[in-house]
Amino acid sequence: MPKCNRSHLFCALLTLILVASATAQNPAAISFNTQTKVFRIDAANQTYAFGINDKNALQPVYWGQRLGATDPLAAPHTNDGVASFDSSPTTTPNEYAAWGGGLFVEPALKVSFPDGNRDLVLKYVSHSIRDNELTITMKDIERDLAVDLRYSVDPATGIVGRSAVIVNHTKSVLTIDQAAAATWNLPRGTDYSLRYLTGRWAGEWNLQKQAILPGSIVLESRRGSTGHQNNPWFAIERGDHGDEDSGEVWFGALAWSGSWRITIERDQLQQIRVTGGYNSFDFAYRLQPEQKLETPVFYGGYSHHGIGEASRMLHRFELASILPQAPKPKARPLIYNSWEATEFAVTEPGQEALAEKAASIGVERFVMDDGWFGQRKDDHAGLGDWYVNKEKFPNGLKPLIDKVHALGMDFGLWVEPEMVNPDSDLYRKHPDWVLNFTGRPRSEARNQLVLNLARKDVRDYVFSFLDDILSHNQVAFLKWDYNRNWSEPGWPAVSPEEQKAVYVTYTKNLYGILQELRAKHPGVEIESCSGGGGRVDLGILRYTDEVWPSDNTDPFDRLRIQDGFTYAYTPGVMMAWVTDSPHWLNNRSTSLSYRFLSSMQGSLGIGANLNKWVAEDFSTSKTLIAAYKDIRETVQHGSLYRLVSPRENSEVSVTESVSIDRHQAALFAFLHSSQMGYPFPRVFMKGLDPQQIYRITPISGVAAKDTPATASGTYWMSHGIDVELRGDLQAAAFKFEASAN
Ligand code: DGJ
């Protein structure tokens, strides 16, 4: 960018023209070079290239920073292997390697034919390019098994989506033993490290980092759903010097909410590859003649501005391309949820009293949680019986819903559609509807069993009771919970050979129900919750507007939970409630403003027992909720900068969100505990427009006395700002607004 010494307006115009012309010169493009037989996907700052090699296999060529349009990318050649132990299929990088011909690395596809043949070697047949989509058809060297490899590209971020469709054109039934969506190949190297997310109930979203050494690292869920323990996201950095803003990062996320696996390998030739898709553990999918299996999509992207930019790319992509309301999702309404206040003890007057209090502070959506249906007094009974409990709501839900509407809020309801308590009318009537192996124990967790959604009758039942609730009540929102993982995943109603398809069919039916419900009730929004963050992935996010990251609402723990969450997912879907103090989990006491500021970094909600609040709590909340509404668009849909991470027992934590037009920013600073009288470290903002003048306004807390009321973006980013924070569990937040002068 040239130096600009004239007026700000002139500079701004010049910048606009330059950016516009750069975009015009650099539009997204998918091309095929007929000489070299190389495919190129160029978009945003990324080039992804692979070609048809001398053996007609698809071989990766390049993935990284966008190359010049005329940069030469030579035709790929097979590697003949370095010894008799390292055969060519293993040493030659492959876009989508089938298990056959001597492949020892992780295959993308493995099949068994009925005659005992398990050898599969895929060759290029044809391709088509349409707009931002490329499809390549591959076929086995001998059998009529075809695989369509699909590529799509997001022009704004360069993120590429890859999936495979496996089609059986033979005359007999075959079995797919293993199927990935894609293999991502990185440039050969020895200095890579992997970031990934681990967790457990009430302790999700821990960011891990480890060197990628020779061998394999497996991230997975065998649980039937995404799981708290690993999340289907990865980021790989090259070298030791990468941080939030610098370094090369290759990242990816698998859009699948069933059992999944991502394998990261470094092989004997220092080749790095990441293969992800269905988990092959206990997996088998039979394909009848002319039947096909479509894998989930595995998205991949590249940033050369560090992991911070990689996260922002994913956030933008999720908002603009994944969420059901994409490309312009509505900001999350401010919700009140009754769970922590009442647990199962919901009643009409009790909920109405909470609703009145919630409305008085600016809540926009009132959500009644668990306990309103069947014989649900605790978690021992009732799941599956989706009729309103007459003892608790003698006149149905209408009086409560009307009251909530009269208070100016919309109404949301908790459901857990995929589960059943053995103590329920549904289970007594249909004991065969759950996952089970005939004659074997049915292991309960939270006193419940998993309904087998792969069964058509179960799928239809679940759709119809939800459709019924939505058709007969003015419900604007469903909190869709899922509180256990699978055990004994049998499906006795189909033949033994068909049963393992449950891992695919269950999840596809879940998506189908969500899709159909949304189509029939277009105004309804849905939250994905699984005992907290057990089902968060790009698959479920196609059908749900928000997610519940964790049952742990301790505002201090939440700093770390939310920090980890944002590596993969946008704050625009990250629900964060203000709850009671001391907190039920850690018995930690925090001020109401600390709790608010922690939650205001995401999509704010209230989950406290408002019946215990005093007048001052209501007035503090009212003020902070009004302040949040003013910055909500920036926090939820803007660019997030993790300025100081709360990880590794950091005493401080700072985040900043900048609106897309860079006119507004919000800064949140947290102090765990003052030590030795040290002042809070100076905060250097990021992502502001250097030329713009921004006015600082405190939302809560104060800046140092000599902080100017207005200063340029350069000032806030280079000079920085001193925040006055001392003591234990303190927090401050500021709004920055660009002004003309
Ligand atoms: C688990 C969820 O994560 C909680 O928020 C709450 O909805 C309970 N289930 C209700 O049973």
Side-chain angles (χ1 to χ4, degrees):
M1 199 71 59
K3 271 219 167 106
C4 190
N5 296 322
R6 310 240 193 119
S7 74
H8 290 329
L9 185 63
F10 177 78
C11 286
L13 274 174
L14 183 63
T15 311
L16 259 181
I17 292 163
L18 286 172
V19 169
S21 69
T23 320
Q25 284 161 16
N26 261 344
I30 300 182
S31 60
F32 178 62
N33 184 323
T34 48
Q35 306 293 307
T36 57
K37 297 191 180 164
V38 168
F39 295 94
R40 269 185 73 152
I41 304 177
D42 294 285
N45 292 319
Q46 176 181 276
T47 295
Y48 184 88
F50 58 96
I52 306 165
N53 69 17
D54 47 310
K55 294 236 174 85
N56 242 2
L58 282 189
Q59 186 171 336
V61 168
Y62 174 82
W63 183 21
Q65 166 110 35
R66 186 161 185 165
L67 301 174
T70 56
D71 279 341
L73 285 174
H77 285 279
T78 43
N79 180 327
D80 285 336
V82 285
S84 57
F85 298 98
D86 289 315
S87 59
S88 175
T90 282
T91 55
T92 304
N94 197 318
E95 273 292 284
Y96 194 82
W99 188 72
L103 183 84
F104 303 117
V105 295
E106 182 73 16
L109 181 63
K110 181 176 179 308
V111 302
S112 298
F113 293 93
D115 61 355
N117 171 44
R118 303 188 304 283
D119 181 68
L120 185 69
V121 178
L122 295 174
K123 300 285 175 186
Y124 167 87
V125 176
S126 62
H127 74 267
S128 67
I129 298 174
R130 197 179 310 148
D131 300 327
N132 292 325
E133 284 181 11
L134 161 67
T135 303
I136 297 176
T137 299
M138 314 274 291
K139 201 180 133 328
D140 177 53
I141 46 174
E142 183 244 345
R143 312 248 160 152
D144 253 350
L145 182 135
V147 178
D148 282 349
L149 298 184
R150 292 184 180 164
Y151 295 78
S152 63
V153 63
D154 172 40
T157 58
I159 289 177
V160 172
R162 294 182 53 191
S163 60
V165 185
I166 302 139
V167 198
N168 179 9
H169 291 306
T170 73
K171 302 238 166 331
S172 24
V173 183
L174 59 85
T175 303
I176 299 172
D177 305 312
Q178 180 165 345
T183 295
W184 300 97
N185 292 266
L186 275 69
R188 179 178 299 161
T190 55
D191 58 346
Y192 288 102
S193 54
L194 170 73
R195 294 195 197 236
Y196 58 105
L197 291 159
T198 61
R200 60 173 172 80
W201 175 78
E204 299 89 336
W205 310 108
N206 301 290
L207 187 72
Q208 311 292 349
K209 186 170 180 174
Q210 69 180 77
I212 301 182
L213 300 174
S216 300
I217 303 168
V218 174
L219 311 177
E220 67 171 346
S221 161
R222 297 178 175 192
R223 297 161 178 268
S225 66
T226 324
H228 299 74
Q229 290 69 18
N230 276 181
N231 190 267
W233 167 88
F234 74 90
I236 294 177
E237 290 161 281
R238 181 153 65 190
D240 297 334
H241 312 297
D243 59 19
E244 283 287 312
D245 304 308
S246 63
E248 289 190 281
V249 183
W250 291 261
F251 58 90
L254 182 69
W256 186 240
S257 316
S259 289
W260 58 273
R261 190 171 76 178
I262 295 177
T263 306
I264 300 99
E265 289 174 293
R266 176 172 147 194
D267 70 16
Q268 60 278 22
L269 297 183
Q270 325 290 22
Q271 288 172 160
I272 309 289
R273 58 174 74 77
V274 182
T275 304
Y278 297 124
N279 197 325
S280 56
F281 179 82
D282 197 37
F283 182 91
Y285 195 93
R286 304 238 304 162
L287 279 189
Q288 301 290 332
E290 296 313 319
Q291 243 190 354
K292 59 186 178 190
L293 173 65
E294 190 171 345
T295 71
V297 182
F298 199 1
Y299 294 98
Y302 166 82
S303 150
H304 63 279
H305 291 301
I307 189 81
E309 180 64 17
S311 300
R312 286 187 291 278
M313 285 165 71
L314 269 172
H315 298 172
R316 275 201 298 281
F317 177 64
E318 288 154 5
L319 292 166
S321 301
I322 295 286
L323 290 175
Q325 296 183 21
K328 289 228 168 299
K330 280 190 228 139
R332 296 296 78 226
L334 218 137
I335 66 151
Y336 178 81
N337 179 293
S338 64
W339 174 247
E340 290 201 22
T342 64
E343 295 210 338
F344 300 95
V346 293
T347 59
E348 190 180 305
Q351 293 291 299
E352 289 189 0
L354 287 169
E356 274 168 17
K357 291 175 177 130
S360 77
I361 53 174
V363 166
E364 297 157 329
R365 171 171 291 167
F366 183 84
V367 184
M368 178 160 65
D369 211 279
D370 200 348
W372 59 269
F373 53 91
Q375 295 308 306
R376 188 80 166 159
K377 296 188 178 67
D378 52 34
D379 60 17
H380 286 81
L383 282 177
D385 298 340
W386 297 102
Y387 59 85
V388 179
N389 181 303
K390 286 280 175 200
E391 278 167 51
K392 299 179 183 184
F393 297 92
N395 303 305
L397 296 180
K398 192 169 185 311
L400 172 62
I401 296 177
D402 287 349
K403 171 86 180 183
V404 166
H405 288 163
L407 289 165
M409 301 180 289
D410 69 26
F411 182 78
L413 199 59
W414 181 94
V415 287
E416 191 173 2
E418 300 151 81
M419 300 288 168
V420 65
N421 287 118
D423 186 0
S424 66
D425 297 342
L426 184 74
Y427 188 72
R428 282 183 280 273
K429 197 162 163 207
H430 296 291
D432 51 332
W433 275 14
V434 298
L435 292 173
N436 75 94
F437 291 120
T438 307
R440 307 284 304 169
R442 300 172 175 203
S443 302
E444 293 174 23
R446 209 194 190 205
N447 312 301
Q448 62 198 52
L449 297 168
V450 183
L451 288 172
N452 183 359
L453 233 54
R455 289 175 62 122
K456 188 165 179 316
D457 46 6
V458 175
R459 184 230 181 268
D460 292 348
Y461 163 78
V462 169
F463 173 79
S464 73
F465 87 72
L466 288 166
D467 179 37
D468 210 54
I469 291 176
L470 296 176
S471 302
H472 296 105
N473 301 281
Q474 281 188 281
V475 171
F477 170 81
L478 290 178
K479 173 175 170 179
W480 185 301
D481 210 342
Y482 180 86
N483 280 302
R484 63 161 292 181
N485 294 130
W486 294 9
S487 58
E488 300 101 11
W491 179 4
V494 298
S495 71
E497 302 79 42
E498 304 284 340
Q499 287 200 19
K500 291 178 180 172
V502 70
Y503 290 102
V504 174
T505 313
Y506 182 110
T507 306
K508 289 197 172 176
N509 281 353
L510 167 68
Y511 291 160
I513 294 169
L514 286 161
Q515 189 171 25
E516 214 180 314
L517 279 176
R518 295 198 75 107
K520 193 154 176 211
H521 306 277
V524 173
E525 295 188 340
I526 304 176
E527 175 178 291
S528 171
C529 169
S530 172
R535 190 153 64 189
V536 182
D537 58 77
L538 295 190
I540 203 77
L541 279 172
R542 285 194 184 285
Y543 307 101
T544 56
D545 307 87
E546 58 186 57
V547 298
W548 183 228
S550 180
D551 275 353
N552 184 347
T553 54
D554 175 322
F556 175 69
D557 282 3
R558 268 292 177 131
L559 298 180
R560 225 171 62 203
I561 287 172
Q562 293 173 177
D563 174 79
F565 182 96
T566 64
Y567 278 83
Y569 303 104
T570 164
V573 299
M574 181 177 78
M575 301 311 292
W577 305 344
V578 171
T579 56
D580 289 326
S581 172
H583 193 265
W584 58 268
L585 187 62
N586 295 317
N587 201 28
R588 180 181 285 116
S589 297
T590 48
S591 69
L592 187 58
S593 56
Y594 183 94
R595 282 176 268 155
F596 258 98
L597 267 44
S598 172
S599 297
M600 282 163 74
Q601 296 171 103
S603 298
L604 178 66
I606 312 289
N609 187 348
L610 301 180
N611 295 325
K612 290 190 193 153
W613 278 16
V614 296
E616 195 190 334
D617 297 331
F618 283 100
S619 70
T620 304
S621 305
K622 223 170 162 172
T623 310
L624 289 174
I625 285 175
Y628 179 74
K629 288 180 180 169
D630 192 22
I631 56 167
R632 162 163 56 185
E633 185 62 31
T634 297
V635 170
Q636 295 188 12
H637 298 158
S639 303
L640 174 72
Y641 294 86
R642 295 177 291 251
L643 299 187
V644 183
S645 165
R647 286 193 316 278
E648 284 147 24
N649 297 324
S650 168
E651 285 301 325
V652 304
S653 160
V654 186
T655 67
E656 178 198 351
S657 301
V658 182
S659 63
I660 295 301
D661 63 8
R662 296 197 293 174
H663 285 168
Q664 191 189 65
L667 183 72
F668 294 92
F670 300 85
L671 172 64
H672 181 209
S673 187
S674 288
Q675 316 265 344
M676 314 289 178
Y678 286 118
F680 195 84
R682 181 167 291 181
V683 174
F684 300 96
M685 297 182 70
K686 290 180 184 169
L688 300 177
D689 180 345
Q691 318 287 345
Q692 284 274 6
I693 301 298
Y694 293 88
R695 174 174 296 280
I696 180 174
T697 312
I699 292 171
S700 179
V702 286
K705 275 199 197 68
D706 54 2
T707 306
T710 60
S712 67
T714 302
Y715 177 94
W716 299 117
M717 293 191 288
S718 300
H719 174 280
I721 163 172
D722 285 323
V723 182
E724 290 290 343
L725 283 179
R726 261 163 220 281
D728 294 340
L729 296 165
Q730 299 294 312
F734 304 90
K735 177 179 80 165
F736 294 79
E737 205 88 54
S739 57
N741 49 353

